Amino acid sequence: MIPYTRVVTRTLRGLALFVGTLLGSACSPAPPSALPVPDHIVLVTIDTLRADHLSWQGYPLETTPFLSQFAADGVVFRNAFSASSHTAPSHASLFTGLHPYQHGVIENGGQLDSRFQTLAAVFRRAGYETAGFTGVGFLDGLRPGFETLTAVSATKEGPRGGYVVLGHAQRWLAERPRDAKFFLWVHFYDVHEWRHQLARYQNVREQFREGSEMDARETLAWVQTHHRVSASSFSESDLDPALSLLRYDSQILYVDRLVSYLSRTLERRFDGTTLWIVTSDHGEGLGSHDYLGHGRFLYQEQLHVPLLFHFTTEDSAPAPWRGRVVDETVRLVDLLGTLDEVVASRAPGDEPRKGIPPDGRSLVPLLLGQSDGPPRPPSFAQRRPVKTIWSEPKERLYSLHDHASKLIVSDSGREEFYDLIQDSGETSNLEGPSESRARLSEELRRRMQEMETSEDRDSNFHFDPRHEAELRALGYLE
Ligand SMILES: [Zn+2]
């Protein structure tokens, strides 16, 4: 196993920044106050990737030897959150800067209305070719803004492996000229499939086990302590819990390798700077809150996702965006405004955008380590619709949190409130009023009011019946 790469410490980063400031103007093509304008942007979404299963987030095993190098030399957002614990709504929020109740893709199979501004449209306007390759067919609903979108549908046997998705992406890249400018989105579904014993992951599973510093039982013990998992919570499945965890972790390693192959293809074929953004659409229960999967809850293990930015440049001059760790609470809805700023897609005086203005706030100051202004807004999330929730009680569920507190509210009036500093595992539901509870409550109720008065609400949901067979095969429809 490749040795576990630790993210550079803050002290070393500070020193690097200082040296960078001294040398930057002589060596770096970009002024220290700006990010490089990328020739290529590659967005990788690794479905169902719980943030705390990555070593740069504190996991004791190296699940991502390749991506850890990006993390060490890029910007890691340690506290990034999705807007839903469900695949299509979360991706649609990432692409639009809007929350699910605003863009209307509230469940898998939904189609994003072309009236919304999207990340792909931002890049197109800035002169980039836009292409996406996804590991499930139903993400085809996120087509607005893409010139090419290939959604690899699952078969009766389940989703096809990420190597199929990678193959499509590589064939598309092979047809581009060396000086091409493009935005490429690649979505991998392999980690999502950890509960199925698929033969295609057998080799990587054995390699992961051989290379790990802890065996499966020790890993399970660590996870039980750190993720507050009771041993019995794995018993809803007939799988051996230790082996289940091994499957989850080794399938992360599998995707890490696919991303390394993709990176090699880019390096060989294209000149210029590539901006990589690696994230996930939601986490996974893995036994926390006695739940293995995702979609049912809005606890942190469901919403906390990895987020890293990495610029692959032709030189390695010190720069503010190398080796930076950001602790602020940020959201995937912040990506649209961030990337719009990075590629400067809109010149002053351009027509304002159609539709609802994005809810996000640019991450550029955080990427550069500059002053970030007033506190960032808390992170909002909503659960998948009631009609597709198989658990009781059947109710709409919403959450809002900042770095310190979290409020979860249902439309039936039920509330949960957690102190995230003392109780990051959300095990102790606090009662009684507090200043932070009142603040979160006011904002959450404002959003719920907005939903009630919105003419769109659930009726804005456009289900594409072409995806019904796939959603049934994946267990999303009963
Ligand atoms: Zn997903």
Side-chain angles (χ1 to χ4, degrees):
M1 176 156 178
I2 294 174
Y4 167 168
T5 312
R6 284 188 186 279
V7 175
V8 183
T9 66
R10 274 159 209 284
T11 315
L12 284 175
R13 269 198 313 280
L15 182 63
L17 269 176
F18 174 65
V19 173
T21 308
L22 292 178
L23 301 177
S25 57
C27 308
S28 170
S33 60
L35 295 166
V37 177
D39 302 288
H40 329 109
I41 301 97
V42 182
L43 169 68
V44 177
T45 56
I46 304 172
D47 211 292
T48 319
L49 181 51
R50 179 176 163 145
D52 56 10
H53 274 246
L54 299 170
S55 61
W56 69 76
Q57 299 273 163
Y59 199 55
L61 298 178
E62 182 54 282
T63 46
T64 53
F66 176 75
L67 286 172
S68 288
Q69 297 170 48
F70 272 7
D73 191 43
V75 181
V76 165
F77 290 89
R78 287 176 56 84
N79 294 298
F81 292 88
S82 63
S84 172
S85 50
H86 195 37
T87 303
S90 174
H91 275 95
S93 287
L94 185 163
F95 277 103
T96 59
L98 298 170
H99 290 95
Y101 74 91
Q102 296 168 313
H103 59 60
V105 180
I106 50 173
E107 63 179 301
N108 292 345
Q111 283 203 291
L112 185 63
D113 195 305
S114 58
R115 75 192 158 106
F116 294 116
Q117 181 66 233
T118 66
L119 211 47
V122 161
F123 290 122
R124 249 175 108 165
R125 193 172 45 219
Y128 294 84
E129 217 179 328
T130 55
F133 301 90
T134 74
V136 282
F138 64 78
L139 286 178
D140 176 69
L142 303 183
R143 186 170 290 277
F146 280 102
E147 289 154 284
T148 301
L149 184 68
T150 302
V152 179
S153 292
T155 62
K156 269 193 303 205
E157 290 75 42
R160 281 179 273 181
Y163 65 93
V164 178
V165 179
L166 177 67
H168 281 288
Q170 286 179 320
R171 276 191 289 283
W172 183 83
L173 289 169
E175 292 163 3
R176 310 270 85 67
R178 194 163 182 90
D179 61 350
K181 275 181 73 179
F182 55 81
F183 164 58
L184 172 66
W185 169 39
V186 185
H187 162 259
F188 292 113
Y189 204 63
D190 305 83
V191 180
H192 187 285
E193 295 306 287
W194 67 280
R195 289 165 79 177
H196 306 288
Q197 305 201 44
L198 298 172
R200 75 171 79 104
Y201 305 115
Q202 184 62 33
N203 281 347
V204 75
R205 205 174 300 145
E206 283 166 14
Q207 288 162 17
F208 183 72
R209 189 169 47 207
E210 283 162 17
S212 293
E213 289 161 17
M214 304 195 306
D215 67 20
R217 299 274 158 204
E218 288 172 313
T219 309
L220 179 65
W222 191 94
V223 164
Q224 282 174 336
T225 305
H226 288 81
H227 299 181
R228 296 154 191 88
V229 178
S230 62
S232 61
S233 65
F234 269 94
S235 66
E236 75 172 71
S237 152
D238 59 0
L239 304 174
D240 177 301
L243 290 178
S244 298
L245 271 174
L246 183 66
R247 262 196 291 278
Y248 185 77
D249 289 344
S250 58
Q251 282 166 223
I252 300 173
L253 177 64
Y254 177 88
V255 175
D256 183 72
R257 285 193 185 158
L258 297 181
V259 180
S260 77
Y261 301 152
L262 181 61
S263 162
R264 216 175 301 159
T265 302
L266 261 90
E267 269 179 38
R268 282 194 194 135
R269 285 200 54 81
F270 302 102
D271 300 324
T273 298
T274 303
L275 167 58
W276 290 82
I277 301 145
V278 182
T279 187
S280 179
D281 54 348
H282 51 75
E284 187 77 326
L286 297 177
S288 298
H289 294 99
D290 292 329
Y291 179 46
L292 290 176
H294 56 269
R296 187 193 296 177
F297 296 135
L298 295 175
Y299 296 118
Q300 299 297 75
E301 68 272 9
Q302 302 281 320
L303 302 173
H304 188 191
V305 290
L307 176 62
L308 76 82
F309 280 61
H310 183 266
F311 288 92
T312 304
T313 54
E314 285 167 352
D315 65 52
S316 55
W321 36 267
R322 290 193 193 281
R324 176 170 296 284
V325 175
V326 176
D327 284 327
E328 274 83 351
T329 296
V330 302
R331 308 159 301 166
L332 296 188
V333 293
D334 296 327
L335 286 177
L336 181 95
T338 305
L339 293 164
D340 194 357
E341 198 174 332
V342 170
V343 299
S345 79
R346 203 155 62 110
D350 270 8
E351 289 281 307
R353 302 213 172 85
K354 294 180 290 179
I356 310 167
D359 240 1
R361 179 167 139 194
S362 171
L363 302 172
V364 167
L366 299 177
L367 288 165
L368 288 165
Q370 294 172 342
S371 163
D372 188 39
R376 293 203 153 246
S379 184
F380 170 82
Q382 73 185 80
R383 188 169 74 157
R384 59 192 296 186
V386 169
K387 67 182 166 67
T388 60
I389 282 289
W390 50 92
S391 62
E392 297 296 336
K394 297 261 185 196
E395 56 190 3
R396 291 164 194 265
L397 214 55
Y398 309 102
S399 73
L400 191 69
H401 80 275
D402 55 22
H403 72 287
S405 316
K406 179 157 174 185
L407 183 64
I408 303 174
V409 168
S410 79
D411 62 348
S412 63
R414 200 169 56 81
E415 283 194 10
E416 293 171 59
F417 184 69
Y418 298 101
D419 177 339
L420 295 178
I421 292 173
Q422 300 295 327
D423 176 28
S424 60
E426 297 158 285
T427 56
S428 186
N429 180 12
L430 301 175
E431 293 188 0
S434 69
E435 185 276 323
S436 52
R437 184 176 194 140
R439 187 170 34 80
L440 291 177
S441 181
E442 186 183 339
E443 168 66 10
L444 200 45
R445 292 192 190 284
R446 181 191 68 76
R447 286 195 181 270
M448 288 167 77
Q449 188 100 35
E450 206 177 294
M451 283 176 235
E452 289 304 319
T453 53
S454 159
E455 57 179 46
D456 286 340
R457 216 182 161 198
D458 289 9
S459 62
N460 192 28
F461 181 67
H462 304 291
F463 179 78
D464 184 340
R466 285 178 307 143
H467 302 310
E468 191 172 333
E470 182 189 53
L471 291 169
R472 210 169 282 289
L474 295 172
Y476 286 115
L477 298 176
E478 283 164 11

